[in-house]
Amino acid sequence: MAALRILGVDPGLRCTGFGIIEVSQKGKEPEYVTSGTITTPFPAALAARIKVLHTGLTNIIERYQPQVMAIEIVFVNVNPQATLLLGQARGALLAAAVMHDLEVHEYTALQVKQAVVGHGHASKDQVQAMVMRLLKLTEAPRTDPADALACALRHAYGDSRVPVAAGGRRSTRWRSLPGCTGSSS
């Protein structure tokens, strides 16, 4: 089996988390590739922010060449206007993926947390800790990249619950990309 690169995305209008992992063989632990955030200027017009998200994700896709994108599904918020705006941001991210022929899979936050932590009502801290452990990182990724990496892990493990990883730690080095900030190993 050839290596499969999975791009996980935690969509947000102000800050979108991304994380890329690679699965080289069935049954083998996923390898951390990179993670970070795409941040949009605030305050700025919606169109300008959408452009930053689309361009940022396009740059990441072109640089790291994932084959699959796993993206979190937008939940209906108490504020319908916020949900609508987040949906537009998510649409820009989906457009970047499909324009590069990525296979797209969508997961709810409940599905992601259940796969990575073991229950669907896990806290952000629990998700960060498990992502760090499963990918053998030396430090916990920030919240948005951790959620994106968790989404990628959910896809890598399918419907099965993620086994707890053991072993050494991988170094996490932060780097900046045009329109985004992140880390890679």
Side-chain angles (χ1 to χ4, degrees):
M1 173 178 142
L4 175 68
R5 279 202 171 179
I6 304 167
L7 166 63
V9 176
D10 178 37
L13 188 56
R14 288 186 187 177
C15 186
T16 288
F18 69 89
I20 300 176
I21 61 172
E22 190 168 270
V23 180
S24 57
Q25 297 177 346
K26 187 174 176 89
K28 192 170 180 183
E29 292 179 20
E31 301 270 334
Y32 174 85
V33 176
T34 191
S35 65
T37 56
I38 304 168
T39 53
T40 63
F42 185 79
L46 177 62
R49 295 166 79 187
I50 294 292
K51 180 179 180 180
V52 168
L53 291 173
H54 187 275
T55 302
L57 196 62
T58 294
N59 290 341
I60 291 161
I61 291 168
E62 289 173 356
R63 180 170 185 177
Y64 293 101
Q65 300 292 304
Q67 294 92 10
V68 176
M69 181 171 87
I71 188 168
E72 204 171 285
I73 294 173
V74 175
F75 63 92
V76 178
N77 202 312
V78 175
N79 179 345
Q81 181 65 23
T83 303
L84 181 61
L85 291 171
L86 181 57
Q88 291 177 66
R90 192 171 173 277
L93 299 164
L94 287 167
V98 298
M99 294 303 293
H100 286 84
D101 297 318
L102 268 65
E103 187 180 307
V104 176
H105 298 268
E106 301 173 278
Y107 300 101
T108 65
L110 183 77
Q111 290 172 314
V112 172
K113 290 175 180 181
Q114 206 159 22
V116 174
V117 180
H119 61 91
H121 300 289
S123 70
K124 295 279 189 187
D125 289 342
Q126 289 173 311
V127 171
Q128 285 174 292
M130 282 306 294
V131 165
M132 181 179 160
R133 186 172 185 180
L134 291 168
L135 294 174
K136 301 177 187 162
L137 302 175
T138 56
E139 61 186 74
R142 290 173 290 183
T143 302
D144 294 315
D147 288 348
L149 287 164
C151 202
L153 286 165
R154 165 60 178 92
H155 184 75
Y157 286 107
D159 289 328
S160 65
R161 188 165 169 227
V162 176
V164 175
R169 303 259 179 229
R170 261 185 216 103
S171 175
T172 306
R173 293 185 304 273
W174 296 96
R175 82 169 55 165
S176 289
L177 298 174
C180 53
T181 58
S183 68
S184 67
S185 79

mmCIF file with all atom_site columns, all heavy atoms in Angstrom, residues 1 13 16 26 32 37 40 45 76 84 90 98-100 103 108 111 113 139-140 142 148 156 162 171 179 185:
data_model
loop_
_atom_site.group_PDB
_atom_site.id
_atom_site.type_symbol
_atom_site.label_atom_id
_atom_site.label_alt_id
_atom_site.label_comp_id
_atom_site.label_asym_id
_atom_site.label_entity_id
_atom_site.label_seq_id
_atom_site.pdbx_PDB_ins_code
_atom_site.Cartn_x
_atom_site.Cartn_y
_atom_site.Cartn_z
_atom_site.occupancy
_atom_site.B_iso_or_equiv
_atom_site.pdbx_formal_charge
_atom_site.auth_seq_id
_atom_site.auth_comp_id
_atom_site.auth_asym_id
_atom_site.auth_atom_id
_atom_site.pdbx_PDB_model_num
ATOM 1   N N   . MET A 1 1   ? 0.843   -1.177 0.000  1.00 0.00 ? 1   MET A N   1
ATOM 2   C CA  . MET A 1 1   ? 0.000   0.000  0.000  1.00 0.00 ? 1   MET A CA  1
ATOM 3   C C   . MET A 1 1   ? 0.892   1.245  0.000  1.00 0.00 ? 1   MET A C   1
ATOM 4   O O   . MET A 1 1   ? 1.797   1.372  0.802  1.00 0.00 ? 1   MET A O   1
ATOM 5   C CB  . MET A 1 1   ? -0.890  -0.025 1.248  1.00 0.00 ? 1   MET A CB  1
ATOM 6   C CG  . MET A 1 1   ? -1.699  1.227  1.466  1.00 0.00 ? 1   MET A CG  1
ATOM 7   S SD  . MET A 1 1   ? -2.748  1.056  2.925  1.00 0.00 ? 1   MET A SD  1
ATOM 8   C CE  . MET A 1 1   ? -2.644  2.688  3.591  1.00 0.00 ? 1   MET A CE  1
ATOM 9   N N   . LEU A 1 13  ? -13.850 30.887 10.661 1.00 0.00 ? 13  LEU A N   1
ATOM 10  C CA  . LEU A 1 13  ? -13.744 32.103 9.851  1.00 0.00 ? 13  LEU A CA  1
ATOM 11  C C   . LEU A 1 13  ? -12.567 32.970 10.286 1.00 0.00 ? 13  LEU A C   1
ATOM 12  O O   . LEU A 1 13  ? -11.887 33.568 9.464  1.00 0.00 ? 13  LEU A O   1
ATOM 13  C CB  . LEU A 1 13  ? -15.044 32.912 9.920  1.00 0.00 ? 13  LEU A CB  1
ATOM 14  C CG  . LEU A 1 13  ? -15.148 34.099 8.974  1.00 0.00 ? 13  LEU A CG  1
ATOM 15  C CD1 . LEU A 1 13  ? -14.933 33.687 7.521  1.00 0.00 ? 13  LEU A CD1 1
ATOM 16  C CD2 . LEU A 1 13  ? -16.497 34.769 9.132  1.00 0.00 ? 13  LEU A CD2 1
ATOM 17  N N   . THR A 1 16  ? -8.603  28.849 11.041 1.00 0.00 ? 16  THR A N   1
ATOM 18  C CA  . THR A 1 16  ? -8.861  27.487 10.586 1.00 0.00 ? 16  THR A CA  1
ATOM 19  C C   . THR A 1 16  ? -7.644  26.638 10.916 1.00 0.00 ? 16  THR A C   1
ATOM 20  O O   . THR A 1 16  ? -6.520  26.982 10.550 1.00 0.00 ? 16  THR A O   1
ATOM 21  C CB  . THR A 1 16  ? -9.126  27.461 9.056  1.00 0.00 ? 16  THR A CB  1
ATOM 22  O OG1 . THR A 1 16  ? -10.419 28.032 8.818  1.00 0.00 ? 16  THR A OG1 1
ATOM 23  C CG2 . THR A 1 16  ? -9.089  26.053 8.498  1.00 0.00 ? 16  THR A CG2 1
ATOM 24  N N   . LYS A 1 26  ? -1.412  -0.476 6.392  1.00 0.00 ? 26  LYS A N   1
ATOM 25  C CA  . LYS A 1 26  ? -2.559  -0.828 7.224  1.00 0.00 ? 26  LYS A CA  1
ATOM 26  C C   . LYS A 1 26  ? -2.043  -1.369 8.555  1.00 0.00 ? 26  LYS A C   1
ATOM 27  O O   . LYS A 1 26  ? -1.132  -2.181 8.593  1.00 0.00 ? 26  LYS A O   1
ATOM 28  C CB  . LYS A 1 26  ? -3.412  -1.867 6.514  1.00 0.00 ? 26  LYS A CB  1
ATOM 29  C CG  . LYS A 1 26  ? -4.710  -2.160 7.240  1.00 0.00 ? 26  LYS A CG  1
ATOM 30  C CD  . LYS A 1 26  ? -5.572  -3.080 6.423  1.00 0.00 ? 26  LYS A CD  1
ATOM 31  C CE  . LYS A 1 26  ? -6.815  -3.447 7.181  1.00 0.00 ? 26  LYS A CE  1
ATOM 32  N NZ  . LYS A 1 26  ? -7.902  -2.557 6.999  1.00 0.00 ? 26  LYS A NZ  1
ATOM 33  N N   . TYR A 1 32  ? 3.060   12.022 11.879 1.00 0.00 ? 32  TYR A N   1
ATOM 34  C CA  . TYR A 1 32  ? 2.806   13.460 11.833 1.00 0.00 ? 32  TYR A CA  1
ATOM 35  C C   . TYR A 1 32  ? 3.617   14.075 10.691 1.00 0.00 ? 32  TYR A C   1
ATOM 36  O O   . TYR A 1 32  ? 4.799   13.788 10.545 1.00 0.00 ? 32  TYR A O   1
ATOM 37  C CB  . TYR A 1 32  ? 3.224   14.074 13.171 1.00 0.00 ? 32  TYR A CB  1
ATOM 38  C CG  . TYR A 1 32  ? 3.150   15.586 13.214 1.00 0.00 ? 32  TYR A CG  1
ATOM 39  C CD1 . TYR A 1 32  ? 1.955   16.220 13.510 1.00 0.00 ? 32  TYR A CD1 1
ATOM 40  C CD2 . TYR A 1 32  ? 4.277   16.364 12.980 1.00 0.00 ? 32  TYR A CD2 1
ATOM 41  C CE1 . TYR A 1 32  ? 1.885   17.611 13.567 1.00 0.00 ? 32  TYR A CE1 1
ATOM 42  C CE2 . TYR A 1 32  ? 4.213   17.738 13.043 1.00 0.00 ? 32  TYR A CE2 1
ATOM 43  C CZ  . TYR A 1 32  ? 3.013   18.354 13.325 1.00 0.00 ? 32  TYR A CZ  1
ATOM 44  O OH  . TYR A 1 32  ? 2.959   19.723 13.380 1.00 0.00 ? 32  TYR A OH  1
ATOM 45  N N   . THR A 1 37  ? -2.258  26.856 11.597 1.00 0.00 ? 37  THR A N   1
ATOM 46  C CA  . THR A 1 37  ? -3.505  27.597 11.428 1.00 0.00 ? 37  THR A CA  1
ATOM 47  C C   . THR A 1 37  ? -3.432  28.524 10.229 1.00 0.00 ? 37  THR A C   1
ATOM 48  O O   . THR A 1 37  ? -2.360  28.995 9.860  1.00 0.00 ? 37  THR A O   1
ATOM 49  C CB  . THR A 1 37  ? -3.825  28.447 12.680 1.00 0.00 ? 37  THR A CB  1
ATOM 50  O OG1 . THR A 1 37  ? -2.725  29.315 12.941 1.00 0.00 ? 37  THR A OG1 1
ATOM 51  C CG2 . THR A 1 37  ? -4.105  27.591 13.898 1.00 0.00 ? 37  THR A CG2 1
ATOM 52  N N   . THR A 1 40  ? -7.289  34.703 9.429  1.00 0.00 ? 40  THR A N   1
ATOM 53  C CA  . THR A 1 40  ? -7.775  35.750 8.535  1.00 0.00 ? 40  THR A CA  1
ATOM 54  C C   . THR A 1 40  ? -7.696  37.099 9.234  1.00 0.00 ? 40  THR A C   1
ATOM 55  O O   . THR A 1 40  ? -7.758  37.163 10.463 1.00 0.00 ? 40  THR A O   1
ATOM 56  C CB  . THR A 1 40  ? -9.235  35.475 8.105  1.00 0.00 ? 40  THR A CB  1
ATOM 57  O OG1 . THR A 1 40  ? -10.076 35.492 9.252  1.00 0.00 ? 40  THR A OG1 1
ATOM 58  C CG2 . THR A 1 40  ? -9.351  34.141 7.386  1.00 0.00 ? 40  THR A CG2 1
ATOM 59  N N   . ALA A 1 45  ? -13.496 42.534 5.554  1.00 0.00 ? 45  ALA A N   1
ATOM 60  C CA  . ALA A 1 45  ? -14.695 42.132 4.817  1.00 0.00 ? 45  ALA A CA  1
ATOM 61  C C   . ALA A 1 45  ? -14.724 40.611 4.674  1.00 0.00 ? 45  ALA A C   1
ATOM 62  O O   . ALA A 1 45  ? -13.674 39.963 4.581  1.00 0.00 ? 45  ALA A O   1
ATOM 63  C CB  . ALA A 1 45  ? -14.693 42.795 3.441  1.00 0.00 ? 45  ALA A CB  1
ATOM 64  N N   . VAL A 1 76  ? -25.065 23.391 14.102 1.00 0.00 ? 76  VAL A N   1
ATOM 65  C CA  . VAL A 1 76  ? -25.964 24.530 14.140 1.00 0.00 ? 76  VAL A CA  1
ATOM 66  C C   . VAL A 1 76  ? -25.761 25.244 15.468 1.00 0.00 ? 76  VAL A C   1
ATOM 67  O O   . VAL A 1 76  ? -25.928 24.672 16.535 1.00 0.00 ? 76  VAL A O   1
ATOM 68  C CB  . VAL A 1 76  ? -27.436 24.099 13.957 1.00 0.00 ? 76  VAL A CB  1
ATOM 69  C CG1 . VAL A 1 76  ? -28.365 25.302 14.056 1.00 0.00 ? 76  VAL A CG1 1
ATOM 70  C CG2 . VAL A 1 76  ? -27.607 23.397 12.630 1.00 0.00 ? 76  VAL A CG2 1
ATOM 71  N N   . LEU A 1 84  ? -24.089 30.601 9.590  1.00 0.00 ? 84  LEU A N   1
ATOM 72  C CA  . LEU A 1 84  ? -24.053 30.925 8.162  1.00 0.00 ? 84  LEU A CA  1
ATOM 73  C C   . LEU A 1 84  ? -22.657 31.368 7.730  1.00 0.00 ? 84  LEU A C   1
ATOM 74  O O   . LEU A 1 84  ? -22.133 30.916 6.707  1.00 0.00 ? 84  LEU A O   1
ATOM 75  C CB  . LEU A 1 84  ? -25.078 32.011 7.840  1.00 0.00 ? 84  LEU A CB  1
ATOM 76  C CG  . LEU A 1 84  ? -25.179 32.447 6.379  1.00 0.00 ? 84  LEU A CG  1
ATOM 77  C CD1 . LEU A 1 84  ? -25.583 31.282 5.495  1.00 0.00 ? 84  LEU A CD1 1
ATOM 78  C CD2 . LEU A 1 84  ? -26.167 33.585 6.251  1.00 0.00 ? 84  LEU A CD2 1
ATOM 79  N N   . ARG A 1 90  ? -16.328 27.338 5.445  1.00 0.00 ? 90  ARG A N   1
ATOM 80  C CA  . ARG A 1 90  ? -16.182 25.909 5.159  1.00 0.00 ? 90  ARG A CA  1
ATOM 81  C C   . ARG A 1 90  ? -16.309 25.649 3.651  1.00 0.00 ? 90  ARG A C   1
ATOM 82  O O   . ARG A 1 90  ? -15.586 24.832 3.087  1.00 0.00 ? 90  ARG A O   1
ATOM 83  C CB  . ARG A 1 90  ? -17.244 25.145 5.947  1.00 0.00 ? 90  ARG A CB  1
ATOM 84  C CG  . ARG A 1 90  ? -17.041 23.672 5.977  1.00 0.00 ? 90  ARG A CG  1
ATOM 85  C CD  . ARG A 1 90  ? -18.040 23.046 6.981  1.00 0.00 ? 90  ARG A CD  1
ATOM 86  N NE  . ARG A 1 90  ? -17.971 21.619 6.915  1.00 0.00 ? 90  ARG A NE  1
ATOM 87  C CZ  . ARG A 1 90  ? -18.606 20.882 6.018  1.00 0.00 ? 90  ARG A CZ  1
ATOM 88  N NH1 . ARG A 1 90  ? -19.387 21.448 5.124  1.00 0.00 ? 90  ARG A NH1 1
ATOM 89  N NH2 . ARG A 1 90  ? -18.475 19.569 6.017  1.00 0.00 ? 90  ARG A NH2 1
ATOM 90  N N   . VAL A 1 98  ? -11.649 20.368 -3.525 1.00 0.00 ? 98  VAL A N   1
ATOM 91  C CA  . VAL A 1 98  ? -12.178 19.731 -4.732 1.00 0.00 ? 98  VAL A CA  1
ATOM 92  C C   . VAL A 1 98  ? -11.506 20.258 -5.996 1.00 0.00 ? 98  VAL A C   1
ATOM 93  O O   . VAL A 1 98  ? -11.394 19.527 -6.984 1.00 0.00 ? 98  VAL A O   1
ATOM 94  C CB  . VAL A 1 98  ? -13.722 19.821 -4.828 1.00 0.00 ? 98  VAL A CB  1
ATOM 95  C CG1 . VAL A 1 98  ? -14.382 19.105 -3.659 1.00 0.00 ? 98  VAL A CG1 1
ATOM 96  C CG2 . VAL A 1 98  ? -14.208 21.241 -4.934 1.00 0.00 ? 98  VAL A CG2 1
ATOM 97  N N   . MET A 1 99  ? -11.018 21.495 -5.963 1.00 0.00 ? 99  MET A N   1
ATOM 98  C CA  . MET A 1 99  ? -10.295 22.020 -7.122 1.00 0.00 ? 99  MET A CA  1
ATOM 99  C C   . MET A 1 99  ? -8.953  21.313 -7.308 1.00 0.00 ? 99  MET A C   1
ATOM 100 O O   . MET A 1 99  ? -8.366  21.364 -8.382 1.00 0.00 ? 99  MET A O   1
ATOM 101 C CB  . MET A 1 99  ? -10.076 23.534 -6.996 1.00 0.00 ? 99  MET A CB  1
ATOM 102 C CG  . MET A 1 99  ? -11.369 24.352 -7.031 1.00 0.00 ? 99  MET A CG  1
ATOM 103 S SD  . MET A 1 99  ? -12.362 24.074 -8.519 1.00 0.00 ? 99  MET A SD  1
ATOM 104 C CE  . MET A 1 99  ? -11.308 24.789 -9.757 1.00 0.00 ? 99  MET A CE  1
ATOM 105 N N   . HIS A 1 100 ? -8.487  20.631 -6.261 1.00 0.00 ? 100 HIS A N   1
ATOM 106 C CA  . HIS A 1 100 ? -7.243  19.865 -6.335 1.00 0.00 ? 100 HIS A CA  1
ATOM 107 C C   . HIS A 1 100 ? -7.513  18.361 -6.320 1.00 0.00 ? 100 HIS A C   1
ATOM 108 O O   . HIS A 1 100 ? -6.626  17.566 -6.024 1.00 0.00 ? 100 HIS A O   1
ATOM 109 C CB  . HIS A 1 100 ? -6.306  20.264 -5.192 1.00 0.00 ? 100 HIS A CB  1
ATOM 110 C CG  . HIS A 1 100 ? -5.695  21.600 -5.411 1.00 0.00 ? 100 HIS A CG  1
ATOM 111 N ND1 . HIS A 1 100 ? -6.321  22.784 -5.076 1.00 0.00 ? 100 HIS A ND1 1
ATOM 112 C CD2 . HIS A 1 100 ? -4.510  21.958 -5.971 1.00 0.00 ? 100 HIS A CD2 1
ATOM 113 C CE1 . HIS A 1 100 ? -5.564  23.794 -5.420 1.00 0.00 ? 100 HIS A CE1 1
ATOM 114 N NE2 . HIS A 1 100 ? -4.460  23.329 -5.964 1.00 0.00 ? 100 HIS A NE2 1
ATOM 115 N N   . GLU A 1 103 ? -10.193 13.727 -2.295 1.00 0.00 ? 103 GLU A N   1
ATOM 116 C CA  . GLU A 1 103 ? -11.368 13.011 -1.814 1.00 0.00 ? 103 GLU A CA  1
ATOM 117 C C   . GLU A 1 103 ? -11.738 13.678 -0.489 1.00 0.00 ? 103 GLU A C   1
ATOM 118 O O   . GLU A 1 103 ? -10.875 13.879 0.362  1.00 0.00 ? 103 GLU A O   1
ATOM 119 C CB  . GLU A 1 103 ? -10.950 11.554 -1.596 1.00 0.00 ? 103 GLU A CB  1
ATOM 120 C CG  . GLU A 1 103 ? -12.024 10.603 -1.265 1.00 0.00 ? 103 GLU A CG  1
ATOM 121 C CD  . GLU A 1 103 ? -11.447 9.204  -1.090 1.00 0.00 ? 103 GLU A CD  1
ATOM 122 O OE1 . GLU A 1 103 ? -10.734 8.725  -1.999 1.00 0.00 ? 103 GLU A OE1 1
ATOM 123 O OE2 . GLU A 1 103 ? -11.711 8.612  -0.026 1.00 0.00 ? 103 GLU A OE2 1
ATOM 124 N N   . THR A 1 108 ? -18.576 14.683 12.205 1.00 0.00 ? 108 THR A N   1
ATOM 125 C CA  . THR A 1 108 ? -19.055 15.570 13.261 1.00 0.00 ? 108 THR A CA  1
ATOM 126 C C   . THR A 1 108 ? -17.994 15.655 14.353 1.00 0.00 ? 108 THR A C   1
ATOM 127 O O   . THR A 1 108 ? -17.139 14.761 14.476 1.00 0.00 ? 108 THR A O   1
ATOM 128 C CB  . THR A 1 108 ? -20.362 15.046 13.885 1.00 0.00 ? 108 THR A CB  1
ATOM 129 O OG1 . THR A 1 108 ? -20.090 13.803 14.549 1.00 0.00 ? 108 THR A OG1 1
ATOM 130 C CG2 . THR A 1 108 ? -21.458 14.870 12.835 1.00 0.00 ? 108 THR A CG2 1
ATOM 131 N N   . GLN A 1 111 ? -18.077 12.498 16.400 1.00 0.00 ? 111 GLN A N   1
ATOM 132 C CA  . GLN A 1 111 ? -17.371 11.359 15.797 1.00 0.00 ? 111 GLN A CA  1
ATOM 133 C C   . GLN A 1 111 ? -15.863 11.485 15.970 1.00 0.00 ? 111 GLN A C   1
ATOM 134 O O   . GLN A 1 111 ? -15.186 10.496 16.247 1.00 0.00 ? 111 GLN A O   1
ATOM 135 C CB  . GLN A 1 111 ? -17.699 11.259 14.297 1.00 0.00 ? 111 GLN A CB  1
ATOM 136 C CG  . GLN A 1 111 ? -19.102 10.838 13.996 1.00 0.00 ? 111 GLN A CG  1
ATOM 137 C CD  . GLN A 1 111 ? -19.412 10.960 12.510 1.00 0.00 ? 111 GLN A CD  1
ATOM 138 O OE1 . GLN A 1 111 ? -19.106 11.973 11.869 1.00 0.00 ? 111 GLN A OE1 1
ATOM 139 N NE2 . GLN A 1 111 ? -20.035 9.935  11.959 1.00 0.00 ? 111 GLN A NE2 1
ATOM 140 N N   . LYS A 1 113 ? -14.125 13.258 18.308 1.00 0.00 ? 113 LYS A N   1
ATOM 141 C CA  . LYS A 1 113 ? -13.748 13.088 19.720 1.00 0.00 ? 113 LYS A CA  1
ATOM 142 C C   . LYS A 1 113 ? -13.890 11.633 20.164 1.00 0.00 ? 113 LYS A C   1
ATOM 143 O O   . LYS A 1 113 ? -13.056 11.130 20.913 1.00 0.00 ? 113 LYS A O   1
ATOM 144 C CB  . LYS A 1 113 ? -14.600 13.998 20.605 1.00 0.00 ? 113 LYS A CB  1
ATOM 145 C CG  . LYS A 1 113 ? -14.274 15.466 20.443 1.00 0.00 ? 113 LYS A CG  1
ATOM 146 C CD  . LYS A 1 113 ? -15.226 16.324 21.261 1.00 0.00 ? 113 LYS A CD  1
ATOM 147 C CE  . LYS A 1 113 ? -14.913 17.794 21.124 1.00 0.00 ? 113 LYS A CE  1
ATOM 148 N NZ  . LYS A 1 113 ? -15.828 18.608 21.933 1.00 0.00 ? 113 LYS A NZ  1
ATOM 149 N N   . GLU A 1 139 ? 5.239   18.221 22.174 1.00 0.00 ? 139 GLU A N   1
ATOM 150 C CA  . GLU A 1 139 ? 4.397   19.206 22.838 1.00 0.00 ? 139 GLU A CA  1
ATOM 151 C C   . GLU A 1 139 ? 3.009   19.147 22.225 1.00 0.00 ? 139 GLU A C   1
ATOM 152 O O   . GLU A 1 139 ? 2.840   18.730 21.083 1.00 0.00 ? 139 GLU A O   1
ATOM 153 C CB  . GLU A 1 139 ? 4.979   20.616 22.715 1.00 0.00 ? 139 GLU A CB  1
ATOM 154 C CG  . GLU A 1 139 ? 5.102   21.098 21.291 1.00 0.00 ? 139 GLU A CG  1
ATOM 155 C CD  . GLU A 1 139 ? 5.821   22.429 21.180 1.00 0.00 ? 139 GLU A CD  1
ATOM 156 O OE1 . GLU A 1 139 ? 7.048   22.440 21.350 1.00 0.00 ? 139 GLU A OE1 1
ATOM 157 O OE2 . GLU A 1 139 ? 5.140   23.431 20.920 1.00 0.00 ? 139 GLU A OE2 1
ATOM 158 N N   . ALA A 1 140 ? 2.032   19.560 23.018 1.00 0.00 ? 140 ALA A N   1
ATOM 159 C CA  . ALA A 1 140 ? 0.652   19.555 22.521 1.00 0.00 ? 140 ALA A CA  1
ATOM 160 C C   . ALA A 1 140 ? 0.476   20.644 21.473 1.00 0.00 ? 140 ALA A C   1
ATOM 161 O O   . ALA A 1 140 ? 0.911   21.778 21.675 1.00 0.00 ? 140 ALA A O   1
ATOM 162 C CB  . ALA A 1 140 ? -0.318  19.773 23.675 1.00 0.00 ? 140 ALA A CB  1
ATOM 163 N N   . ARG A 1 142 ? -1.547  23.500 19.364 1.00 0.00 ? 142 ARG A N   1
ATOM 164 C CA  . ARG A 1 142 ? -2.584  24.451 19.757 1.00 0.00 ? 142 ARG A CA  1
ATOM 165 C C   . ARG A 1 142 ? -3.970  23.871 19.439 1.00 0.00 ? 142 ARG A C   1
ATOM 166 O O   . ARG A 1 142 ? -4.079  22.896 18.698 1.00 0.00 ? 142 ARG A O   1
ATOM 167 C CB  . ARG A 1 142 ? -2.360  25.781 19.052 1.00 0.00 ? 142 ARG A CB  1
ATOM 168 C CG  . ARG A 1 142 ? -1.098  26.487 19.601 1.00 0.00 ? 142 ARG A CG  1
ATOM 169 C CD  . ARG A 1 142 ? -0.761  27.713 18.827 1.00 0.00 ? 142 ARG A CD  1
ATOM 170 N NE  . ARG A 1 142 ? -0.296  27.279 17.503 1.00 0.00 ? 142 ARG A NE  1
ATOM 171 C CZ  . ARG A 1 142 ? 0.144   28.073 16.560 1.00 0.00 ? 142 ARG A CZ  1
ATOM 172 N NH1 . ARG A 1 142 ? 0.173   29.359 16.750 1.00 0.00 ? 142 ARG A NH1 1
ATOM 173 N NH2 . ARG A 1 142 ? 0.553   27.595 15.407 1.00 0.00 ? 142 ARG A NH2 1
ATOM 174 N N   . ALA A 1 148 ? -7.863  19.671 14.051 1.00 0.00 ? 148 ALA A N   1
ATOM 175 C CA  . ALA A 1 148 ? -7.670  19.256 12.656 1.00 0.00 ? 148 ALA A CA  1
ATOM 176 C C   . ALA A 1 148 ? -6.933  17.919 12.585 1.00 0.00 ? 148 ALA A C   1
ATOM 177 O O   . ALA A 1 148 ? -7.302  17.033 11.802 1.00 0.00 ? 148 ALA A O   1
ATOM 178 C CB  . ALA A 1 148 ? -6.902  20.334 11.889 1.00 0.00 ? 148 ALA A CB  1
ATOM 179 N N   . ALA A 1 156 ? -8.206  8.278  9.416  1.00 0.00 ? 156 ALA A N   1
ATOM 180 C CA  . ALA A 1 156 ? -7.196  7.213  9.305  1.00 0.00 ? 156 ALA A CA  1
ATOM 181 C C   . ALA A 1 156 ? -7.647  5.931  9.983  1.00 0.00 ? 156 ALA A C   1
ATOM 182 O O   . ALA A 1 156 ? -7.377  4.837  9.488  1.00 0.00 ? 156 ALA A O   1
ATOM 183 C CB  . ALA A 1 156 ? -5.870  7.686  9.915  1.00 0.00 ? 156 ALA A CB  1
ATOM 184 N N   . VAL A 1 162 ? -9.512  4.561  18.191 1.00 0.00 ? 162 VAL A N   1
ATOM 185 C CA  . VAL A 1 162 ? -8.071  4.699  18.059 1.00 0.00 ? 162 VAL A CA  1
ATOM 186 C C   . VAL A 1 162 ? -7.375  4.038  19.241 1.00 0.00 ? 162 VAL A C   1
ATOM 187 O O   . VAL A 1 162 ? -7.683  4.318  20.387 1.00 0.00 ? 162 VAL A O   1
ATOM 188 C CB  . VAL A 1 162 ? -7.677  6.187  17.995 1.00 0.00 ? 162 VAL A CB  1
ATOM 189 C CG1 . VAL A 1 162 ? -6.183  6.354  17.954 1.00 0.00 ? 162 VAL A CG1 1
ATOM 190 C CG2 . VAL A 1 162 ? -8.323  6.848  16.801 1.00 0.00 ? 162 VAL A CG2 1
ATOM 191 N N   . SER A 1 171 ? 9.773   15.299 17.501 1.00 0.00 ? 171 SER A N   1
ATOM 192 C CA  . SER A 1 171 ? 9.974   16.731 17.701 1.00 0.00 ? 171 SER A CA  1
ATOM 193 C C   . SER A 1 171 ? 8.938   17.527 16.920 1.00 0.00 ? 171 SER A C   1
ATOM 194 O O   . SER A 1 171 ? 8.580   17.167 15.809 1.00 0.00 ? 171 SER A O   1
ATOM 195 C CB  . SER A 1 171 ? 11.372  17.119 17.216 1.00 0.00 ? 171 SER A CB  1
ATOM 196 O OG  . SER A 1 171 ? 11.543  18.500 17.284 1.00 0.00 ? 171 SER A OG  1
ATOM 197 N N   . GLY A 1 179 ? 0.203   33.086 4.593  1.00 0.00 ? 179 GLY A N   1
ATOM 198 C CA  . GLY A 1 179 ? -1.194  33.079 4.994  1.00 0.00 ? 179 GLY A CA  1
ATOM 199 C C   . GLY A 1 179 ? -1.505  32.157 6.145  1.00 0.00 ? 179 GLY A C   1
ATOM 200 O O   . GLY A 1 179 ? -2.650  31.986 6.491  1.00 0.00 ? 179 GLY A O   1
ATOM 201 N N   . SER A 1 185 ? 7.431   18.325 11.020 1.00 0.00 ? 185 SER A N   1
ATOM 202 C CA  . SER A 1 185 ? 8.605   17.562 11.453 1.00 0.00 ? 185 SER A CA  1
ATOM 203 C C   . SER A 1 185 ? 9.352   17.061 10.261 1.00 0.00 ? 185 SER A C   1
ATOM 204 O O   . SER A 1 185 ? 8.900   17.099 9.176  1.00 0.00 ? 185 SER A O   1
ATOM 205 C CB  . SER A 1 185 ? 8.212   16.423 12.377 1.00 0.00 ? 185 SER A CB  1
ATOM 206 O OG  . SER A 1 185 ? 7.709   15.337 11.681 1.00 0.00 ? 185 SER A OG  1
#
